[in-house]
Amino acid sequence: MMQMKEYKEVPQDAPQDDTVVRQPVAGGVAANGAENWMSIPVGMPNCPQGLEYLTALDQLLVSQKIEKLELLTGFETKNRFKVKNSLGQNVYSAFEESDCCTRNMLGRSRPFEMKILDNFQNEVLHLNRPFRCDILCCFPSCQNAVEVSAPPGQVIGTVEQVCTFMRPKFNIKNSFGDTVLHIEGPLCPCKCFSDTNFKVLSANNEEIGKITKQWSGLGRELFTDADYFSVTFPLNLDVRMKALVFAALFLIDVVYYEQ
């Protein structure tokens, strides 16, 4: 004979488990206002962990956080950024690692490290920018550069400034030191009331993308160094090259727009 299962009603005031597990919301916004994170693509062979997001993207939107202390006092704080896709979904967050003295004494010449984190707070990209003289100099030791690792500890390439007295130029090199892409900026990198484009060029000097410093409004431009950027590249570009173009944005920001 089949036995009936007994169900007990749980009182509303019964003690509940205090442990609450919260994970980023992928592909939508939760009812409680949780942040909207991009879903991670799966089945991407030969791709550094954490860079899978880039395989499905041809554009990144980067916004720098306004620091209240910096706005009120002029005291230079660590830079922080949010990285989103064209749908407004969070892809990465970026945090500068540097000490107080070098930030405020050396300004844009300062050495720093930039950590790029995914939605689970795992570091997927690591940028290392050494100290460089803030003078017009063509010695190799004076040229701005950033070394890029993905995952941290495994170098995938560098972004290096080229000595030029006209348009800003940068070379993107792979882990073997071969130049694979170029970046060329405008004659005047600092414009008012309009966006500034840095063209991303192939080895054959064909434009395949761009890094854009977006005009963010008179008040924000005058009183802060918090900027808006966008990065575009071909969807089928190698994921490591996408990461290097993305990393070039942070070097361009500190060289031309940190002041």
Side-chain angles (χ1 to χ4, degrees), residues 74-220:
F75 185 85
E76 184 69 31
T77 58
K78 297 178 180 179
N79 290 330
R80 294 185 290 171
F81 301 84
K82 277 287 187 182
V83 184
K84 299 185 178 185
N85 61 18
S86 59
L87 299 178
Q89 298 171 329
N90 291 317
V91 182
Y92 297 118
S93 56
F95 301 90
E96 177 186 349
E97 288 292 339
S98 59
D99 63 78
C100 176
C101 290
T102 56
R103 282 198 310 274
N104 289 277
M105 297 295 292
L106 300 178
R108 61 184 183 182
S109 299
R110 68 182 182 271
F112 66 84
E113 296 182 358
M114 189 73 70
K115 295 183 177 181
I116 315 297
L117 311 179
D118 65 8
N119 56 356
F120 297 104
Q121 298 301 298
N122 297 318
E123 185 178 3
V124 298
L125 268 175
H126 188 93
L127 281 57
N128 179 38
R129 193 271 178 128
F131 167 77
R132 288 295 184 263
C133 298
D134 189 16
I135 58 175
L136 189 61
C137 173
C138 285
F139 288 107
S141 59
C142 294
Q143 297 302 298
N144 289 287
V146 64
E147 183 184 71
V148 186
S149 301
Q154 185 172 335
V155 177
I156 62 171
T158 58
V159 182
E160 301 177 8
Q161 188 178 26
V162 179
C163 180
T164 175
F165 298 99
M166 298 294 288
R167 296 178 180 272
K169 292 184 179 181
F170 298 84
N171 286 335
I172 294 180
K173 299 182 178 182
N174 60 21
S175 58
F176 300 104
D178 301 322
T179 299
V180 290
L181 297 173
H182 307 280
I183 297 176
E184 183 178 293
L187 202 58
C188 179
C190 301
K191 295 181 181 179
C192 293
F193 307 105
S194 64
D195 296 345
T196 304
N197 293 317
F198 290 76
K199 295 185 292 185
V200 179
L201 308 172
S202 68
N204 298 324
N205 286 324
E206 296 179 359
E207 184 175 349
I208 62 171
K210 62 183 177 180
I211 298 172
T212 302
K213 160 67 172 63
Q214 299 175 344
W215 173 256
S216 56
L218 188 61
R220 189 178 179 113

Side-chain angles (χ1 to χ4, degrees), residues 37-99:
W37 285 91
M38 176 182 173
S39 301
I40 185 170
V42 295
M44 299 297 172
N46 195 29
C47 178
Q49 187 174 2
L51 298 189
E52 295 92 346
Y53 298 97
L54 297 181
T55 61
L57 296 175
D58 60 2
Q59 183 182 39
L60 292 172
L61 306 175
V62 182
S63 60
Q64 185 175 352
K65 180 178 175 58
I66 295 179
E67 304 293 346
K68 294 180 180 179
L69 177 63
E70 188 172 318
L71 179 62
L72 295 174
T73 66
F75 185 85
E76 184 69 31
T77 58
K78 297 178 180 179
N79 290 330
R80 294 185 290 171
F81 301 84
K82 277 287 187 182
V83 184
K84 299 185 178 185
N85 61 18
S86 59
L87 299 178
Q89 298 171 329
N90 291 317
V91 182
Y92 297 118
S93 56
F95 301 90
E96 177 186 349
E97 288 292 339
S98 59
D99 63 78

